[in-house]
């Protein structure tokens, strides 16, 4: 069997984080330059010299090796191992032990889809190693098993977005591609504070239990904003999109999943002329996004975010159509 390779990329959520957990819609956009690469290969016998078959990239941050034995159960307890074993249950186990090495340039715990991208890259590499080309739907299903472990009740949007070529509409497990304004950019800024998606999701769930009418109304209003944003994207109405992003940030903040660092960056982006800004992903740390009209505008917003304390900044187009 050959050395199998697989890759995936990070993502941001434009609008709809948290509401998407309850079957409401969300819009996600890939970050194609934030990549995860994985290789899967037959494990060398014990005592043989170690030869690293994995391609190295200078920007990769996280390296994980998962060992898989023929017919074995998943003992890894991590999302990559769970996803890999889920795939092998679908395909039938290999006749030999396999190692999967994952190298990840997506910073973990920042709401950028690191765990989903790692799981996807791993299952792609495994399928390639076993010479078993698979439809995206099967890859997504296997990666989702890992996500369920990593995030508790994951909506599935991360696995869908980390596999997508362009912006997507995601609703109750269904994916539809979207087209977006051509020149506009999204500036993504990292607070440097790790945020746990499962803690943030549990927090919203608690509020739904304790203040059910109020919290449900917040979620329904947030979902309405996501629908308006899809219209804004279709018509290229960036300032309306910006207003809807700001309203979404306010709702998420009232639900308790923002934090001082995120609020500070949102204010800095707006002060620098961004039509809108908000937290992205689970919140409670992690990243925020700001809209910009074009690349020079994105540079100005990025500079303001850096001054306001962002530790890392990326500028991405709205997608394949850009
Ligand atoms: C994940 O990027 C965003 C959340 O909505 C969780 C999920 O959808 O599984 C907070």
């Amino acid at each position: 069997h050959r050395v199998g390779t697989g890759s995936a990329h990070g993502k941001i959520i434009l609008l709809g984080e948290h509401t998407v957990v309850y079957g409401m819609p969300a819009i996600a956009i890939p970050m194609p330059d934030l990549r995860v690469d994985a290789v899967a290969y037959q494990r060398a016998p014990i005592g043989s010299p170690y030869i690293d078959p994995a391609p190295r990239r200078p920007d990769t941050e996280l390296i994980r090796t998962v060992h898989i034995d023929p017919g074995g159960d998943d003992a890894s307890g991590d999302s990559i191992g769970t996803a890999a074993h889920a795939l092998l249950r679908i395909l039938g186990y290999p006749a030999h032990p396999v190692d999967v090495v994952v190298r990840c340039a997506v910073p973990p715990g920042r709401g950028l889809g690191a765990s989903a991208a790692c799981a996807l890259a791993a299952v792609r590499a495994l399928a390639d190693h076993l010479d078993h080309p698979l439809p995206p739907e099967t890859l997504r299903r296997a990666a989702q098993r890992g996500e369920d472990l990593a995030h508790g009740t994951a909506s599935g949007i991360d696995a869908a977005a980390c596999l997508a070529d362009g912006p997507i509409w995601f609703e109750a497990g269904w994916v539809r591609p979207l087209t977006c304004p051509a020149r506009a950019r999204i500036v993504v800024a990292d607070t440097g504070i790790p945020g746990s998606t499962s803690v943030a999701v549990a927090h919203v769930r608690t509020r739904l239990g304790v203040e059910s009418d109020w919290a449900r109304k917040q979620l329904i209003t947030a979902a309405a904003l996501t629908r308006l944003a899809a219209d804004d994207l279709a018509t290229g109405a960036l300032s309306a999109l910006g207003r809807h992003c700001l309203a979404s940030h306010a709702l998420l903040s009232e639900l308790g999943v923002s934090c001082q660092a995120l609020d500070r960056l949102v204010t800095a982006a707006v002060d620098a002329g961004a039509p809108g800004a908000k937290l992205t992903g689970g919140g409670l740390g992690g990243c925020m996004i700001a809209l910009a009209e074009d690349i020079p505008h994105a540079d100005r917003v990025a500079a303001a975010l850096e001054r306001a304390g962002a530790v890392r900044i990326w500028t991405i187009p709205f997608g394949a159509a850009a």
Side-chain angles (χ1 to χ4, degrees):
H1 286 277
R2 63 174 180 226
V3 173
T5 58
S7 64
H9 49 71
K11 67 91 190 58
I12 56 115
I13 292 186
L14 185 64
L15 277 102
E17 51 276 276
H18 290 290
T19 52
V20 70
V21 173
Y22 303 94
M24 296 177 212
I27 299 169
I29 297 182
M31 292 181 80
D33 294 336
L34 269 191
R35 291 174 61 81
V36 178
D37 294 304
V39 292
Y41 51 92
Q42 185 161 353
R43 198 182 314 159
I46 292 169
S48 51
Y50 179 70
I51 298 163
D52 185 353
R56 281 175 187 279
R57 294 159 61 94
D59 55 351
T60 47
E61 296 198 356
L62 178 83
I63 301 179
R64 199 96 61 81
T65 306
V66 178
H67 307 292
I68 293 160
D69 288 305
D73 275 331
D74 176 23
S76 68
D78 82 6
S79 61
I80 300 172
T82 305
H85 280 81
L87 181 81
L88 291 174
R89 274 193 296 277
I90 296 168
L91 295 182
Y93 277 87
H96 51 267
V98 175
D99 280 351
V100 185
V101 178
V102 179
R103 293 199 165 100
C104 175
V106 187
R110 299 297 198 277
L112 300 180
S115 65
C118 285
L120 279 168
V123 295
R124 275 185 153 161
L126 258 179
D128 187 40
H129 171 60
L130 300 172
D131 203 9
H132 218 302
L134 289 172
E137 197 43 46
T138 310
L139 293 172
R140 180 155 79 97
R141 203 148 38 92
Q144 189 53 41
R145 298 280 302 116
E147 283 293 277
D148 291 341
L149 185 88
H151 295 324
T153 43
S155 64
I157 191 169
D158 284 14
C162 293
L163 200 58
D165 295 330
I168 57 163
W169 176 267
F170 183 93
E171 186 166 8
W174 293 96
V175 183
R176 179 163 64 80
L178 291 175
T179 2
C180 293
R183 288 170 57 234
R185 291 291 184 272
I186 301 173
V187 183
V188 185
D190 184 357
T191 59
I193 302 166
S196 157
T197 300
S198 54
V199 169
V201 168
H203 175 81
V204 173
R205 194 176 296 284
T206 304
R207 293 205 74 170
L208 268 169
V210 179
E211 304 155 279
S212 48
D213 286 348
W214 174 80
R216 201 170 314 128
K217 236 171 66 201
Q218 295 284 105
L219 292 180
I220 289 168
T221 311
L225 290 171
T226 306
R227 293 200 167 83
L228 289 171
D231 294 342
D232 301 337
L233 287 176
T235 57
L238 199 66
S239 45
L241 180 62
R243 279 198 304 281
H244 296 137
C245 284
L246 284 169
S248 161
H249 181 76
L251 280 169
L252 290 164
S253 187
E254 284 162 22
L255 278 166
V257 292
S258 188
C259 66
Q260 265 181 14
L262 284 166
D263 290 345
R264 189 172 58 240
L265 293 183
V266 167
T267 305
V270 173
D271 288 349
K278 62 184 278 295
L279 68 84
T280 186
L284 296 176
C287 290
M288 55 77 71
I289 54 170
L291 307 184
E293 270 139 37
D294 48 27
I295 293 172
H297 188 204
D299 290 344
R300 288 198 299 279
V301 172
L305 288 169
E306 208 176 329
R307 282 194 300 275
V311 298
R312 258 174 303 195
I313 295 172
W314 303 267
T315 295
I316 58 169
F318 265 87

